[in-house]
Amino acid sequence: MAFIAKQMVGNQLKSVKGALGDKEEETEEGGEGEAGGEDPEIVQARLEAEEKRKEKHRKMEEEREGMRQSIRDKYGLKKKEIPAEEEPLGAEGRIGRKKKTQAELAAEANADSDDDEFAKFPSNLSELTAKVSEIPSKLADSVGEVTSKCTVQ
């Protein structure tokens, strides 16, 4: 029943749309011949709104930076400096991770191609074995110290 009602209403809407004239038909026929089919005043208003939005966000970011600086001063933290060459252009409104620089990509490629780490493995294994063998004696010494200092009352 619902299907039939939907079909009837849908057909009526299509006929009303056709009577009013579709926007697609106007643009295909050429419309008024304006660039983009929009009124220049609307385009100007949209640009002004975008500028206002950017200015609002810039002011908010300045306020946030002031807060961050006061927190840094309060707790004695240093501001992380980003070198100018690594700073991506237009990153102030970017969502997600930053793009890697050419130097980072090259270093990553070199790290992937190096097989020298496997050559170091046996020497690291012997050092690791020596450290592991020292653990029981150190553990026994520390337990002995703790038990000698602690008394049950």
Side-chain angles (χ1 to χ4, degrees), residues 65-129:
E65 186 58 35
M67 282 182 170
R68 290 183 196 118
Q69 189 59 45
S70 66
I71 291 170
R72 283 188 211 108
D73 294 341
K74 181 177 178 181
Y75 295 106
L77 302 173
K78 294 181 182 178
K79 183 177 180 181
K80 188 190 314 184
E81 294 295 327
I82 300 174
E85 62 193 33
E86 291 183 16
E87 188 173 323
L89 299 174
E92 58 189 55
R94 184 177 174 86
I95 297 175
R97 68 172 182 84
K98 69 178 186 91
K99 291 185 177 181
K100 293 182 180 180
T101 62
Q102 293 294 332
E104 289 173 336
L105 290 172
E108 191 174 289
N110 287 339
D112 289 343
S113 64
D114 288 342
D115 293 333
D116 295 334
E117 292 187 33
F118 293 113
K120 297 177 185 176
F121 188 76
S123 65
N124 290 339
L125 183 61
S126 62
E127 292 173 17
L128 182 62
T129 307

Side-chain angles (χ1 to χ4, degrees), residues 2 14 20 32 47 59 63 74 79 84 91 93 99 114 116 118 141 149:
K14 287 180 183 176
L20 295 176
E32 298 174 13
L47 291 174
K59 287 180 183 177
E63 291 173 5
K74 181 177 178 181
K79 183 177 180 181
K99 291 185 177 181
D114 288 342
D116 295 334
F118 293 113
D141 293 341
K149 292 181 181 179

Side-chain angles (χ1 to χ4, degrees), residues 128-142:
L128 182 62
T129 307
K131 298 267 187 195
V132 169
S133 64
E134 295 173 5
I135 292 175
S137 61
K138 288 184 178 181
L139 184 61
D141 293 341
S142 61

